[in-house]
Amino acid sequence: MKSIKILAGIALIGLSFTSCKDEKQENAKKTIDSYVTYVDSVKNVTADELKANWKDVDAEYNRRAENAQLALADLKDNTVETEKINASKTKYEEFKNEMTTVFAPKVTPKQQLRNALFGEGKIGDDMSFAWVNAQNIHNVYQQFVHTVEDNKDSYSREDWDEIKLMYEALDSRKNTVEKEGLSSEDNRKIAGLKVKFAPMYTVNRMGAKSEENKDAKK
């Protein structure tokens, strides 16, 4: 009798263990399905709503993605679920890249020109040249003048006006930098670049204006 009770107890424990194991697997599948559903639902939200709440959206995605990945360990055969997770991960990364482009601030033609002349984001609306110093000012002039030289045939009159404004602002910064240890060698090289720029600006600015006058008459 005692043996029967022991066997019955073992059977009960085994049944309970199996039940817990099945529940664990079901919960794991639910976690993974929740992750997949979240990725699909995010793609249905308007761009304006996403932009306003993107940090929260991305944080929630990362939380669900981590939980889904951990849930795989609770599945005896996780081949199908692994494929689901990988597919959703790819889908989300592609969507995130797309949204990053959409959310990026629009760069005006004027800012594009400034980026080309000085480097990405170096000169903004504040027109601050504080980053230009005695060590890098020759390189700044060099990039400026060479960029203008390479693109002189494509600039409009408005572009040339912006170029002159930037050139004069750089010259103003040079006056400050000269007192901060600008070497005579760099000063000489800058003088050479200025000699190259002056006639290039005058001739091409006039040419751009002439072309615009022709177009206006047409």
Side-chain angles (χ1 to χ4, degrees), residues 52-207:
N53 301 285
W54 183 251
K55 285 186 178 180
D56 292 336
V57 169
D58 199 42
E60 179 64 14
Y61 166 82
N62 289 327
R63 185 186 71 80
R64 289 175 183 256
E66 184 179 356
N67 288 341
Q69 201 66 42
L70 291 173
L72 288 175
D74 292 331
L75 297 172
K76 186 175 181 180
D77 181 3
N78 59 26
T79 304
V80 174
E81 281 70 22
T82 299
E83 289 177 357
K84 281 185 181 181
I85 290 175
N86 290 340
S88 290
K89 181 179 180 181
T90 299
K91 190 184 296 185
Y92 183 80
E93 289 302 324
E94 290 175 351
F95 181 69
K96 184 176 181 179
N97 290 337
E98 181 185 334
M99 287 299 101
T100 299
T101 302
V102 172
F103 298 158
K106 299 296 182 288
V107 181
T108 63
K110 179 186 290 186
Q111 188 60 52
Q112 288 177 339
L113 179 58
R114 292 181 179 184
N115 289 346
L117 294 172
F118 297 105
E120 193 74 26
K122 290 287 189 179
I123 300 295
D125 292 335
D126 59 357
M127 285 183 61
S128 172
F129 281 81
W131 55 277
V132 179
N133 53 48
Q135 286 69 47
N136 65 18
I137 191 167
H138 169 244
N139 290 334
V140 174
Y141 267 99
Q142 195 169 44
Q143 177 173 336
F144 183 96
V145 174
H146 288 173
T147 299
V148 172
E149 186 177 29
D150 291 342
N151 298 279
K152 61 182 185 295
D153 295 330
S154 63
Y155 291 140
S156 66
R157 182 168 57 86
E158 286 77 10
D159 289 335
W160 283 110
D161 289 345
E162 177 68 14
I163 288 168
K164 184 181 180 184
L165 179 67
M166 292 295 102
Y167 181 75
E168 289 174 346
L170 180 58
D171 269 355
S172 178
R173 178 60 181 169
K174 178 178 177 292
N175 293 336
T176 300
V177 169
E178 281 183 311
K179 303 169 187 175
E180 298 176 349
L182 178 63
S183 69
S184 56
E185 177 65 14
D186 279 348
N187 210 348
R188 183 185 63 77
K189 290 177 180 177
I190 290 171
L193 290 167
K194 289 166 67 70
V195 168
K196 176 185 283 190
F197 175 80
M200 182 168 57
Y201 166 78
T202 302
V203 171
N204 287 280
R205 169 63 167 71
M206 290 175 60

Side-chain angles (χ1 to χ4, degrees), residues 7-17:
L7 288 172
I10 292 173
L12 187 61
I13 292 170
L15 183 62
S16 175
F17 179 77

